[in-house]
């Protein structure tokens, strides 16, 4: 074993990252940042498992005709079934239930901080499953980006970290982070046999089949507003159909660990969207933190771009 942590890497990590895939992953992070904002409009109006079910019913209805026209077939190959079910159980059922429960009980600051752990979770789980090792400059880049995330969330008042108590919502978000790491690794296996479109469609279908036994009664909602229904449409189409397809494309092309680095942009984009949509003024720390996050991402990918 090489002490430089470069003895073995996942095959995806040996290729240069195309600018196209970089921008796709950046767009994915932006769409998922909007998911946090939209999720606040749905919290409390419908049970978490029902929200997950409604989200994927709409997403599957949108994807079905598109996949049929685009690919000329719907059924996935048998060798992909098990990994697609794994994607459904983790990325569709558990992740969404944990996320919607977290949105009910914890603050936006805590959610943003814990979502920044996604790249670390993906890297660690990739190491366990694939033996994918991180190079020293990648570890340094991850650390720098995480520091930028903390700067955005604390506004430079590092003592705030001590005040982030872990309630039930925080624990649900930690569960969501861990589950997303597993989902990303399973997706790498599935994408060897199916396209990103098909993977997104069938993980959604299998996810709905897994949810149904736990939610047999009709979907119920209360005190809904136009904002609620607008948020549902955005979450189903923008944050599910478009973002999940882009994410699966990115994972298939550059690997889970490298794709996970772009999730560090989630809290940064959340701050930007809060400023634009909620008229919250951005502080100097948010601008500096954004620059630090991007610097960390450039460090992470710098040597791979030279190969």
């Amino acid at each position: 074993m090489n002490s430089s942590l470069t003895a073995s890497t996942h095959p995806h990590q040996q290729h240069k990252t195309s600018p196209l895939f970089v921008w796709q992953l950046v767009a994915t992070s932006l769409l998922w940042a909007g998911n946090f904002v939209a999720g606040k409009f749905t919290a409390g109006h419908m049970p978490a498992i029902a929200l997950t079910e409604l989200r994927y019913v709409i997403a599957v209805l949108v994807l079905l005709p598109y996949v049929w026209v685009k690919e000329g077939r719907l059924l996935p190959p048998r060798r992909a079934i098990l990994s697609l079910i794994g994607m459904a159980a983790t990325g569709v059922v558990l992740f969404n239930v944990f996320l919607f429960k977290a949105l009910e009980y914890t603050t936006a600051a805590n959610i943003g901080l814990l979502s920044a752990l996604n790249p670390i979770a993906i890297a660690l789980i990739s190491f366990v499953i694939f033996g994918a090792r991180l190079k020293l400059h990648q570890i340094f880049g991850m650390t720098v980006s995480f520091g930028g995330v903390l700067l955005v969330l604390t506004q430079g008042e590092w003592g705030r970290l001590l005040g982030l108590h872990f309630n039930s919502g925080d624990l649900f978000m930690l569960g969501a982070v861990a589950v997303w790491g597993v989902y990303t690794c399973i997706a790498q296996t599935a994408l060897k046999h199916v396209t990103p479109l098909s993977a997104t469609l069938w993980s959604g279908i299998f996810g709905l089949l897994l949810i149904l036994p736990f939610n047999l009664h009709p979907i119920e909602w209360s005190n809904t507003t136009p904002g609620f229904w607008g948020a549902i449409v955005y979450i189903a189409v923008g944050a599910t159909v478009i973002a999940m397809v882009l994410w699966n494309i990115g994972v298939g092309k550059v690997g889970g660990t490298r794709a996970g680095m772009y999730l560090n942009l989630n809290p940064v984009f959340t701050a930007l969207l809060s400023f634009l949509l909620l008229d919250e003024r951005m502080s100097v720390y948010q601008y500096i933190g954004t620059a630090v996050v991007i610097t960390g991402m450039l460090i992470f990918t710098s040597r791979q771009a030279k190969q």
Side-chain angles (χ1 to χ4, degrees):
M1 181 180 296
N2 192 322
S3 59
S4 67
L5 302 181
T6 61
S8 63
T9 57
H10 191 273
H12 289 294
Q13 293 177 318
Q14 298 173 358
H15 303 292
K16 180 178 177 181
T17 303
S18 165
L20 174 62
F21 300 129
V22 169
W23 286 111
Q24 284 179 343
L25 290 167
V26 170
T28 302
S29 182
L30 176 60
L31 289 167
W32 280 335
N35 192 35
F36 287 118
V37 177
K40 282 297 184 182
F41 288 94
T42 66
H45 294 289
M46 187 181 292
I49 196 165
L51 282 168
T52 302
E53 187 175 10
L54 181 59
R55 173 181 187 170
Y56 276 91
V57 165
I58 297 173
V60 166
L61 290 177
V62 171
L63 277 169
L64 269 172
Y66 185 75
V67 172
W68 173 256
V69 171
K70 183 76 174 178
E71 301 187 1
R73 59 173 293 175
L74 289 176
L75 294 178
R78 288 186 178 181
R79 59 183 178 275
I81 297 296
L82 191 58
S83 55
L84 289 172
I85 292 174
M87 289 176 67
T90 53
V92 175
V93 181
L94 292 177
F95 175 79
N96 282 282
V97 170
F98 286 165
L99 176 61
F100 285 127
K101 293 296 289 185
L103 286 167
E104 290 181 15
Y105 296 113
T106 195
T107 64
N110 285 29
I111 289 259
L113 173 60
L114 294 173
S115 73
L117 297 175
N118 271 310
I120 298 174
I122 293 171
L124 291 176
I125 295 170
S126 292
F127 169 73
V128 172
I129 295 179
F130 298 117
R133 299 187 181 280
L134 292 172
K135 298 178 181 179
L136 290 177
H137 77 279
Q138 292 175 313
I139 295 174
F140 181 61
M142 289 176 67
T143 304
V144 170
S145 283
F146 188 62
V149 169
L150 293 182
L151 184 61
V152 170
L153 293 170
T154 63
Q155 296 293 290
E157 298 177 14
W158 298 104
R160 288 189 181 186
L161 290 175
L162 300 177
L164 291 173
H165 63 284
F166 287 86
N167 58 28
S168 58
D170 299 325
L171 296 178
F172 276 122
M173 192 58 197
L174 280 174
V177 167
V179 163
W180 190 256
V182 176
Y183 165 85
T184 299
C185 291
I186 295 174
Q188 289 182 226
T189 301
L191 291 169
K192 296 176 182 177
H193 310 297
V194 294
T195 65
L197 272 174
S198 183
T200 305
L201 170 64
W202 281 99
S203 61
I205 292 173
F206 286 132
L208 287 173
L209 292 176
L210 291 173
I211 290 172
L212 283 177
F214 301 97
N215 194 37
L216 294 175
H217 54 79
I219 295 177
E220 297 179 357
W221 52 82
S222 61
N223 302 318
T224 58
T225 63
F228 168 84
W229 292 110
I232 287 292
V233 172
Y234 172 82
I235 290 170
V237 179
T240 304
V241 174
I242 299 175
M244 292 292 279
V245 169
L246 292 178
W247 174 255
N248 287 334
I249 290 173
V251 169
K253 294 295 183 180
V254 306
T257 298
R258 200 186 305 180
M261 268 302 296
Y262 293 90
L263 296 180
N264 273 325
L265 289 171
N266 283 4
V268 176
F269 282 140
T270 301
L272 290 171
L273 289 175
S274 296
F275 169 71
L276 293 173
L277 301 177
L278 305 177
D279 199 28
E280 295 180 358
R281 300 179 66 86
M282 286 186 65
S283 70
V284 64
Y285 293 109
Q286 288 172 311
Y287 287 112
I288 295 174
T290 300
V292 172
V293 168
I294 294 173
T295 299
M297 290 171 56
L298 292 175
I299 292 172
F300 185 90
T301 58
S302 59
R303 294 189 184 181
Q304 291 154 342
K306 295 177 182 178
Q307 291 177 354

